């Protein structure tokens, strides 16, 4: 198993679905964010600590998703997360939502910008963030 692979599992719950019985589109981002929170905790940067301390703030500035097959109540899903890109002040996270048999159900991407306490963009990503996420920057990132 790749030590620099991060995966997060969940089951689609009834309250996740829309009137057609499919995962409501907005809930895909909730599950992506749950995976992101678990990832940040694993790399030593738990979001609750970052928010409480207020020195490193990483608001979401872009989100996109593509749906490849329906996700229904009871489906088990694994979210495979990788760092898609690291820029001067931001980084992109790629998410691949897979069924137990490996079938691709959805992909998503979020971009997080480091800002200062006053809301202005930071001059650059902190060394702590860059060092923590760099091992997860994959050429074969989930797309």
């Amino acid at each position: 198993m790749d030590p620099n692979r991060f995966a997060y599992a969940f089951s689609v719950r009834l309250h996740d679905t829309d009137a057609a019985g499919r995962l409501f589109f907005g809930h895909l981002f909730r599950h992506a964010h749950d995976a992101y929170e678990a990832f940040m905790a694993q790399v030593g940067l738990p979001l609750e600590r970052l928010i409480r301390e207020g020195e490193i703030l990483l608001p979401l500035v872009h989100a996109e998703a593509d749906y490849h097959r329906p996700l229904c109540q009871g489906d088990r899903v694994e979210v495979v997360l990788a760092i898609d890109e690291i820029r001067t002040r931001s980084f992109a996270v790629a998410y691949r939502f897979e069924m137990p048999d490996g079938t691709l159900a959805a992909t998503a991407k979020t971009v997080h910008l480091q800002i200062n306490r006053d809301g202005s963009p930071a001059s650059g990503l902190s060394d702590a963030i860059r060092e923590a996420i760099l091992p997860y920057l994959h050429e074969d990132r989930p797309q």
Side-chain angles (χ1 to χ4, degrees):
M1 180 167 205
D2 182 353
N4 295 329
R5 179 183 187 273
F6 182 83
Y8 176 85
F10 72 94
S11 292
V12 176
R13 304 286 185 210
L14 182 60
H15 65 264
D16 286 328
T17 61
D18 60 16
R22 306 293 197 252
L23 180 72
F24 179 69
F25 75 94
H27 290 303
L28 186 83
F29 289 111
R30 180 173 54 83
H31 290 295
H33 201 274
D34 287 347
Y36 169 69
E37 282 189 51
F39 168 76
M40 292 297 282
Q42 179 175 301
V43 300
L45 298 168
L47 294 182
E48 65 272 10
R49 187 186 84 219
L50 298 181
I51 292 167
R52 184 176 51 255
E53 292 173 357
E55 294 300 319
I56 298 174
L57 301 172
L58 299 167
L60 185 89
V61 295
H62 177 81
E64 62 185 61
D66 289 305
Y67 303 87
H68 303 280
R69 70 169 297 285
L71 290 168
C72 301
Q73 192 266 329
D75 283 348
R76 293 282 307 149
V77 182
E78 184 173 69
V79 183
V80 179
L81 181 152
I83 300 302
D84 191 51
E85 183 177 13
I86 300 174
R87 297 182 182 163
T88 303
R89 297 181 303 201
S90 66
F91 61 95
V93 182
Y95 309 84
R96 184 179 171 88
F97 292 74
E98 298 178 357
M99 304 302 294
D101 66 1
T103 301
L104 180 64
T107 55
K109 179 179 177 179
T110 57
V111 178
H112 305 264
L113 173 70
Q114 185 170 343
I115 63 170
N116 298 315
R117 281 183 185 214
D118 67 1
S120 63
S123 59
L125 279 179
S126 76
D127 290 341
I129 292 173
R130 193 173 296 280
E131 291 170 15
I133 67 175
L134 190 58
Y136 296 87
L137 179 65
H138 289 285
E139 293 304 316
D140 58 337
R141 54 192 170 254
Q143 295 278 332

